[in-house]
Amino acid sequence: MALLQISEPGQSTAPHHHRLAVGIDLGTTNSLVACVRSGIADTLPDGEGRHLLPSVVRYLKGSAPVVGDAALAAAAEDPLNTIASVKRMMGRGIEDVKRLGGALPYEFAPGESGMPRIRTAAGLWSPVEVSAEILRSLKRRAEATLGGDLTGAVITVPAYFDDAQRQATKDAGRLAGLTVLRLLNEPTAAAVAYGLDKKAEGVFAIYDLGGGTFDISILRLNRGVFEVLATAGDSALGGDDMDHALADWMLRQAGVEVSADPHGARRALRDARAAKHALSQGEEAAVRVTRPDGSVWQGRLTRDEFQALVDPIIERTVAPCRRVLRDAGITASDISEVVLVGGSTRMPRVRERATAVFGRTPLTDIDPDRVVAIGAAIQADVLAGNKPRDEMLLLDVIPLSLGIEIMGGMVEKIIARNSTIPIAKAQDFTTFKDGQTAMAIHVVQGERELVSDCRSLARFDLRGIPPMVAGAGRIRVTFQIDADGLLSVSAQEQTSGVASSVVVKPSYGLSDAEIERMLRDSIAHAHEDNDARNLREQQVEADRVLAAVESALVADGTALLSPAERQEIEQALSRLRSLRDGTDVARIRDGIGALDRATREFAARRMNEGINKALAGHRLDEFG
Amino acid sequence: MQASVEKNFFELFGLPVGFNLDTADLAARYRDLQRQFHPDRYANATDPERRLSLQITAQINQGFQTLKEPLSRGRYLLALQGVNTDEETDTRMDPDFLVEQMELRESLDEARCSAQRGEQLARLARETDALLRTRTEALGSSLAGGDPEGLRRARELVREMQFLKKLAREIEELGEVD
């Protein structure tokens, strides 16, 4: 191993350096972190050899929060301060959370935006902050195991997550100090783990039933391209519901009122989960409930009885399976393999149902708890630039249609569900009053025709429209979904060309100001220096940009640039190089901006070359 | 900064402008363009390249979506010639077509409540499919000439196909709920 890396002055060694990038499965029940090392992707254990980190955070007065097994162990004795299944609350409003969390013991307080806060002994916490604690714990584990700072992480989300849930997940990553390289859909990650493993071709169905979410995705694999044809699911359906169904049954048998006894409810939930696991192996399980007065109810539960309790929950996975086949334009017989993902697919009943729906025996050879993290790690390795370019490519879709509110509370669809992302659609709006300078747009996600039946994502105020007579102002609003499945909006007045400003009010998300404050708080908490952190982040960004421009120049600088043009870029490069070693954050940012401007034309030429290269293998038709 | 974004979808895929195309060839071209331009390929590129990659990929995705289905391909070819199909605003349709549609809708209502629901829905799906197929063929020949009468006929066909597509979708949706 080389102790010193010697490079030419000003030449970054970064492009050849192996970047540490991980895949994180941020699950409802358990979370994992995985990494590709020496070409092999695997999950990373903690110091005691445990791969699964229970997604549980316990807040204590006057000390740092506890994450994982220790928190899980305290859940029954300290239910109000121990937050489990926080994923189910991500991107949700306080009303949703109360509805789905009928059995959750937490106390909620409204936040500045629609996002709820959970009251604990250590203060109020949003679901995003709780998730960030879990991510921080995994980040520490990875950095300790891999021996260095992480370049970035791919975090997985249920394919059926809407924009608010995705944004909340990305915000959690940012709060945890992670560079989120990509939000990756869990079924797609599983397909990567299986597909690359088996060098498979054909159509895959990924049936993913986890702790809190159900996803069904259909993918076509073709020479390393993983193309999601369609996805469907239910972002509030999973093993948790089965635990609740069983716990409720146990408490009813014991004659205990659930709401009167949060500790008892939490214990019942824990015991129900244990009984569920036991019934995946055995035919019968013992269950018991300790009543508030200390007396004990004991009973036995057969697998058949248990199945009768959870069948209605499993049955809810069938309709999305049918819909996804239709949306993909295929029938069950077109599917070459069915893959099962998620802890709940260990249940024999779930396997039976999946086998019946698709008419074939599913693959289960990769541990269903670990397969998603492994797939995410493979993608992270590619995005960090550790893999040759053309190894694999994931083409994912937007799971739910995106629309805007029109007259009468109706929805007009702008982007249809299952459209491949990234995608952009433009829509024109006209002013309806003389001198109108602002306009409000309400963006929703969902398949129904009424706004009230869809999920409100955000309200956008367009401002700075030049005053004109009614109907003369035409504003083109462009909705763009990026590769993470996240929406952004831009607007331009068409007759004057004036760009209108877009002010976003997320319906259930955090405002930028809230995130900024949380970041400052978490830094203060960690006794870190905010300025030093800003500088370090800006330097890392400068290094990334420098390396990218340098390698572009090596590849195409001679072919696509005149000596004068090249010199201009070289000047911006060397200016940024010298700024990067200084301590002025604002000047480094300016230097990055200047280099950006200097390389725009070069980028456009490289892209045009790319079109020819991409189609070089095809018959070149005459344009008719 | 515009790069290839200015190209029409046929040019983007290196294909001649026209209704008839080989969808397998289109899909192969689509995948190769994606291999070249997808944002994942530009994770470590310069910022202007990353922005362009996002723009071009959005264009490629929309182009593939538009060209792969005969209905949207036909509508796009008409738009390239300055003919707007106005499905939302112009509700005038050929009376014979409307009568036929009403009959089909009545059959759909009957099938919904019928004892042989499955069979009836399947028959209706086949009928609708046949109507769509003959129109798809007619659309190809109407567009081939490029004369005003051909374009007028093509516009009518696209509008009728839009109706039939919607019907086909409703039949499928009913078939799923059992």
Side-chain angles (χ1 to χ4, degrees):
Chain A
M1 193 177 140
L3 293 175
L4 279 172
Q5 283 187 309
I6 301 168
S7 56
E8 292 294 314
Q11 288 255 310
S12 167
T13 55
H16 310 290
H17 190 71
H18 187 89
R19 298 185 177 97
L20 298 178
V22 294
I24 292 179
D25 175 0
L26 183 61
T28 307
T29 318
N30 293 299
S31 297
L32 295 103
V33 58
C35 185
V36 175
R37 286 185 289 178
S38 319
I40 293 163
D42 203 1
T43 51
L44 306 177
D46 68 3
E48 289 164 55
R50 296 175 295 204
H51 289 253
L52 295 175
L53 177 76
S55 304
V56 183
V57 180
R58 183 183 184 199
Y59 288 92
L60 301 159
K61 204 175 172 70
S63 66
V66 176
V67 183
D69 288 289
L72 179 64
E77 72 189 61
D78 188 17
L80 295 179
N81 297 313
T82 309
I83 319 299
S85 297
V86 70
K87 188 174 181 177
R88 306 192 81 170
M89 301 178 223
M90 294 288 269
R92 297 288 181 187
I94 192 157
E95 289 310 314
D96 303 316
V97 167
K98 280 182 178 158
R99 207 176 316 128
L100 73 89
L104 296 179
Y106 318 119
E107 284 177 37
F108 295 102
E112 287 162 44
S113 53
M115 188 180 283
R117 300 287 192 278
I118 305 160
R119 200 184 300 280
T120 71
L124 297 174
W125 301 99
S126 70
V128 171
E129 290 165 290
V130 179
S131 298
E133 285 302 337
I134 299 166
L135 291 172
R136 230 173 255 135
S137 174
L138 292 172
K139 177 176 183 256
R140 275 197 297 270
R141 180 193 291 187
E143 290 181 337
T145 313
L146 302 172
D149 286 350
L150 295 185
T151 308
V154 168
I155 303 177
T156 61
V157 290
Y160 217 56
F161 255 21
D162 65 26
D163 183 85
Q165 293 168 306
R166 283 167 199 269
Q167 189 61 59
T169 306
K170 197 165 184 180
D171 290 344
R174 206 170 127 198
L175 268 186
L178 288 167
T179 302
V180 182
L181 298 171
R182 175 77 75 242
L183 296 179
L184 177 61
N185 289 336
E186 287 160 12
T188 312
V192 168
Y194 268 98
L196 286 188
D197 191 41
K198 295 180 171 294
K199 303 250 173 273
E201 299 270 305
V203 180
F204 275 48
I206 316 287
Y207 181 105
D208 179 357
L209 188 61
T213 53
F214 171 65
D215 274 337
I216 175 75
S217 292
I218 306 287
L219 288 99
R220 187 193 301 284
L221 272 68
N222 183 297
R223 292 191 299 128
V225 179
F226 292 67
E227 188 182 354
V228 179
L229 299 179
T231 187
D234 188 333
S235 63
L237 171 66
D240 268 13
D241 297 296
M242 303 187 199
D243 300 345
H244 281 296
L246 181 50
D248 287 351
W249 177 84
M250 284 159 51
L251 292 168
R252 265 200 317 275
Q253 298 293 312
V256 175
E257 185 66 41
V258 180
S259 56
D261 183 13
H263 286 72
R266 198 57 174 266
R267 273 196 309 271
L269 211 50
R270 183 193 60 198
D271 296 346
R273 181 170 300 168
K276 178 182 77 175
H277 290 162
L279 286 167
S280 282
Q281 309 296 327
E283 289 296 326
E284 214 176 58
V287 281
R288 52 184 283 154
V289 173
T290 309
R291 300 191 182 92
D293 64 8
S295 65
V296 172
W297 169 84
Q298 270 183 310
R300 302 199 68 76
L301 184 70
T302 65
R303 190 188 273 179
D304 283 348
E305 286 170 325
F306 173 62
Q307 285 176 350
L309 279 175
V310 299
D311 264 352
I313 295 164
I314 299 173
E315 203 53 35
R316 281 167 59 198
T317 67
V318 176
C321 289
R322 297 218 174 108
R323 199 174 82 212
V324 82
L325 288 174
R326 171 163 59 81
D327 281 356
I330 60 166
T331 61
S333 59
D334 295 322
I335 290 173
S336 8
E337 297 286 6
V338 178
V339 174
L340 295 187
V341 186
S344 300
T345 60
R346 286 215 171 81
M347 288 173 58
R349 190 60 159 185
V350 172
R351 294 191 174 190
E352 271 171 43
R353 214 62 196 93
T355 306
V357 170
F358 294 104
R360 69 185 55 243
T361 310
L363 293 177
T364 50
D365 22 336
I366 305 184
D367 181 344
D369 282 325
R370 284 153 74 167
V371 62
V372 166
I374 288 171
I378 295 171
Q379 165 80 335
D381 196 44
V382 171
L383 290 182
N386 295 331
K387 277 260 164 70
R389 267 173 73 84
D390 44 318
E391 193 132 306
M392 75 166 198
L393 181 63
L394 311 184
L395 304 179
D396 230 313
V397 300
I398 171 176
L400 298 156
S401 302
L402 197 81
I404 49 167
E405 178 169 354
I406 53 168
M407 298 291 188
M410 303 290 283
V411 179
E412 178 166 320
K413 300 240 170 92
I414 306 272
I415 297 176
R417 74 160 184 256
N418 289 322
S419 297
T420 307
I421 53 174
I423 194 154
K425 283 272 172 74
Q427 185 90 359
D428 286 352
F429 297 89
T430 48
T431 51
F432 59 92
K433 270 196 287 193
D434 286 347
Q436 186 178 349
T437 57
M439 193 180 273
I441 294 174
H442 184 200
V443 185
V444 299
Q445 201 163 17
E447 309 311 315
R448 307 282 292 276
E449 283 172 1
L450 288 176
V451 167
S452 51
D453 293 331
C454 290
R455 268 200 89 61
S456 170
L457 283 189
R459 289 171 193 277
F460 296 95
D461 282 343
L462 303 182
R463 293 184 189 147
I465 303 169
M468 278 178 276
V469 293
R474 221 157 37 93
I475 298 95
R476 172 157 299 175
V477 180
T478 306
F479 299 85
Q480 179 157 285
I481 311 265
D482 66 14
D484 290 326
L486 291 173
L487 169 72
S488 63
V489 175
S490 61
Q492 192 171 44
E493 204 286 310
Q494 289 300 99
T495 47
S496 66
V498 173
S500 313
S501 72
V502 181
V503 182
V504 188
K505 274 175 280 177
S507 304
Y508 299 107
L510 297 168
S511 65
D512 277 349
E514 282 179 290
I515 294 181
E516 195 56 43
R517 203 198 57 232
M518 286 176 184
L519 262 175
R520 265 201 309 275
D521 288 354
S522 70
I523 290 163
H525 204 258
H527 307 293
E528 254 187 284
D529 180 346
N530 199 12
D531 293 341
R533 177 174 157 139
N534 274 341
L535 177 62
R536 205 163 60 233
E537 281 182 0
Q538 211 52 240
Q539 285 176 331
V540 168
E541 177 62 11
D543 288 344
R544 189 189 67 75
V545 171
L546 285 169
V549 174
E550 281 160 6
S551 75
L553 280 178
V554 169
D556 292 317
T558 317
L560 299 179
L561 294 171
S562 72
E565 289 168 331
R566 180 166 186 151
Q567 201 192 344
E568 201 185 315
I569 295 176
E570 299 274 10
Q571 269 167 4
L573 261 180
S574 58
R575 199 176 127 71
L576 178 56
R577 262 187 223 119
S578 59
L579 288 172
R580 180 246 176 261
D581 294 326
T583 54
D584 190 334
V585 176
R587 291 189 70 198
I588 299 176
R589 195 177 297 128
D590 289 348
I592 292 172
L595 184 57
D596 184 307
R597 284 188 296 279
T599 55
R600 280 180 197 175
E601 178 58 30
F602 183 37
R605 287 182 203 168
R606 274 165 56 86
M607 287 292 173
N608 269 330
E609 285 290 297
I611 297 246
N612 303 331
K613 224 186 299 171
L615 295 175
H618 296 271
R619 179 172 49 99
L620 284 179
D621 293 294
E622 292 294 314
F623 293 132
Chain B
M1 271 304 277
Q2 286 308 315
S4 48
V5 180
E6 291 291 283
K7 289 188 159 122
N8 79 38
F9 292 150
F10 290 97
E11 290 165 355
L12 183 61
F13 283 83
L15 291 166
V17 178
F19 186 72
N20 294 318
L21 57 76
D22 172 358
T23 47
D25 175 52
L26 177 72
R29 287 166 187 264
Y30 167 70
R31 279 192 294 270
D32 282 345
L33 284 170
Q34 285 282 11
R35 278 196 186 91
Q36 179 74 32
F37 289 111
H38 193 277
D40 284 4
R41 297 285 197 235
Y42 291 85
N44 295 295
T46 67
D47 288 339
E49 284 176 352
R50 277 154 52 121
R51 285 194 300 271
L52 281 173
S53 126
L54 193 64
Q55 274 177 36
I56 296 173
T57 315
Q59 197 83 357
I60 293 165
N61 281 328
Q62 214 187 333
F64 183 54
Q65 209 62 39
T66 306
L67 297 189
K68 80 176 175 191
E69 296 291 338
L71 171 57
S72 48
R73 186 163 71 236
R75 191 186 292 126
Y76 182 67
L77 279 164
L78 284 169
L80 284 182
Q81 310 222 39
V83 179
N84 196 323
T85 46
D86 302 311
E87 279 106 330
E88 270 101 56
T89 49
D90 180 1
T91 49
R92 289 165 305 163
M93 301 290 288
D94 175 41
D96 291 342
F97 177 76
L98 285 179
V99 169
E100 188 186 58
Q101 281 298 296
M102 270 155 65
E103 284 166 4
L104 282 167
R105 296 242 155 223
E106 275 167 28
S107 314
L108 184 61
D109 278 339
E110 278 167 32
R112 203 192 306 260
C113 319
S114 155
Q116 289 93 35
R117 179 190 158 111
E119 283 164 45
Q120 291 206 19
L121 284 176
R123 196 176 61 233
L124 210 51
R126 279 196 303 275
E127 256 174 69
T128 312
D129 197 48
L131 290 171
L132 265 170
R133 239 191 343 255
T134 51
R135 278 175 179 77
T136 305
E137 280 162 27
L139 182 57
S141 43
S142 301
L143 282 166
D147 54 300
E149 176 51 27
L151 291 181
R152 195 200 57 76
R153 177 74 188 128
R155 178 175 183 271
E156 196 173 285
L157 286 165
V158 163
R159 289 156 55 79
E160 291 179 2
M161 285 167 73
Q162 174 75 28
F163 263 76
L164 289 164
K165 265 269 175 251
K166 191 157 178 272
L167 181 68
R169 176 160 274 264
E170 283 173 39
I171 296 169
E172 270 186 28
E173 276 170 2
L174 272 180
E176 274 161 32
V177 197
D178 42 35

